[in-house]
Amino acid sequence: MSGIVVVFDFDKTIVDCDSDNWVIDELGFTDLFNDLLPTMPWNSLMDKMMMELHSQGITIEDIVKVLHRIPIHPRIIPALKTVHALGCDMRIVSDANLFFIETILNHLGIMEYFSEINTNSGYVNEEGRLRIMPYHDFNKASHGCNNLCPPNMCKGMIIDRIQDSISTEDAKRFIYLGDGAGDYCPSLRLKDRDFMMPRKNFPVWDLISKDPLLLKAEIHGWSDGEELEQVLLHLINTNLMDKNSQFNSSDCKLQILSVSASEALPKVLSVRP
């Protein structure tokens, strides 16, 4: 293994849209969704919408077909394949749901790349309709985090658990990629040896930009799948070269990212003096 744990958000990070919105919009239920959105938490609304779709004759097969055509940047799959080939431990922490994520990853042929998927429960019940349940049952108790996390999931707590599951002797470095406000809390949990990759001009970027010094991790932004690939592979290869510097280049099987001199370093978010 490379000694690097790469944690991906899913929506607008691996896929290039919000998977919940994609399904609702493609099946023609946008207006109802928007009418109900002010009345309940997002996660609860998605469960209700799945009930409504089922009552209107929308089948699981219909939902799967929609998920199979979800937009994804053409450089994302090659990037994920390279990260996996380099021996990184790849995980997902997402506020989508397990059914959507597994359906998409299996369709793309990359399900086995990920050692762990942390997300809301999504399963087909005995009536043949999709149920979407919260990762954290906020009806029983609050997760207690106040860092803009939705009631059903604190990604920061998930990162804490992942970090605690890795022995300090391993000294693994984390790279976290995300776009939304919910990705801000885990960015605060990263260590000074880690890297945060926020999507530029998305909510998590805006939150970090307010005071980048709150983060211990080094910050590297990205704007689309092409830049995600460039920045992520640069960070991984740089760290692997450091780790394997004792080997001759002929013995090292690293797939080094080729960049021009002007692109040699990914852009780091500037901080106030």
Side-chain angles (χ1 to χ4, degrees):
M1 297 296 287
S2 68
I4 299 173
V5 180
V6 186
V7 181
F8 297 86
D9 177 35
F10 188 74
D11 292 337
K12 300 180 183 178
T13 299
I14 292 179
V15 296
D16 211 15
C17 68
D18 183 286
S19 58
D20 289 346
N21 286 138
W22 175 258
V23 169
I24 296 300
D25 294 345
E26 289 294 299
L27 292 174
F29 285 76
T30 306
D31 290 343
L32 178 60
F33 181 89
N34 290 337
D35 288 344
L36 295 175
L37 183 57
T39 69
M40 64 185 74
W42 183 288
N43 183 252
S44 304
L45 175 55
M46 281 303 298
D47 184 55
K48 184 175 182 62
M49 291 302 303
M50 293 305 104
M51 179 179 67
E52 184 65 27
L53 264 60
H54 180 72
S55 70
Q56 296 294 324
I58 303 296
T59 66
I60 295 299
E61 290 73 23
D62 294 328
I63 296 172
V64 168
K65 288 178 182 178
V66 168
L67 291 169
H68 282 180
R69 60 175 188 264
I70 197 167
I72 182 169
H73 191 281
R75 295 312 308 166
I76 291 295
I77 302 303
L80 296 177
K81 288 182 177 180
T82 302
V83 173
H84 180 259
L86 289 172
C88 296
D89 179 0
M90 299 166 61
R91 309 190 187 207
I92 290 175
V93 178
S94 168
D95 197 10
N97 69 80
L98 191 60
F99 183 86
F100 285 7
I101 293 175
E102 288 189 338
T103 298
I104 294 167
L105 294 182
N106 279 318
H107 177 66
L108 296 172
I110 57 174
M111 179 69 181
E112 69 276 9
Y113 292 176
F114 299 93
S115 65
E116 183 178 84
I117 299 175
N118 300 274
T119 188
N120 299 296
S121 172
Y123 64 92
V124 180
N125 69 6
E126 63 279 1
E127 297 174 354
R129 85 165 179 94
L130 184 60
R131 294 299 312 271
I132 298 176
M133 309 301 289
Y135 179 86
H136 179 91
D137 190 352
F138 55 88
N139 292 312
K140 291 184 178 179
S142 168
H143 54 57
C145 178
N146 297 316
N147 285 328
L148 304 176
C149 297
N152 61 292
M153 175 177 284
C154 170
K155 294 185 178 183
M157 292 181 176
I158 297 174
I159 292 299
D160 286 343
R161 179 187 57 75
I162 295 173
Q163 290 172 329
D164 291 343
S165 71
I166 298 172
S167 67
T168 55
E169 290 77 13
D170 288 342
K172 290 183 180 293
R173 283 183 158 177
F174 279 70
I175 304 175
Y176 187 101
L177 300 90
D179 71 283
D183 297 308
Y184 182 64
C185 186
S187 75
L188 299 174
R189 312 296 180 103
L190 299 175
K191 313 300 184 184
D192 55 9
R193 64 174 178 265
D194 300 330
F195 303 93
M196 177 63 191
M197 288 182 56
R199 190 168 188 177
K200 296 174 184 176
N201 302 316
F202 277 70
V204 70
W205 172 270
D206 295 338
L207 289 168
I208 291 173
S209 297
K210 290 179 180 178
D211 193 350
L213 295 177
L214 292 176
L215 273 67
K216 297 177 182 177
E218 196 170 290
I219 303 163
H220 295 263
W222 57 280
S223 58
D224 57 22
E226 182 176 1
E227 193 170 18
L228 181 154
E229 179 184 41
Q230 291 174 351
V231 174
L232 179 58
L233 296 187
H234 179 88
L235 292 176
I236 293 171
N237 282 307
T238 298
N239 283 280
L240 289 179
M241 286 296 290
D242 291 342
K243 182 179 180 181
N244 292 278
S245 59
Q246 69 269 30
F247 297 110
N248 293 327
S249 59
S250 60
D251 296 326
C252 186
K253 298 180 180 179
L254 304 182
Q255 302 179 32
I256 305 303
L257 176 66
S258 177
V259 294
S260 67
S262 63
E263 298 174 325
L265 291 176
K267 298 177 181 64
V268 180
L269 181 64
S270 60
V271 297
R272 297 195 305 269

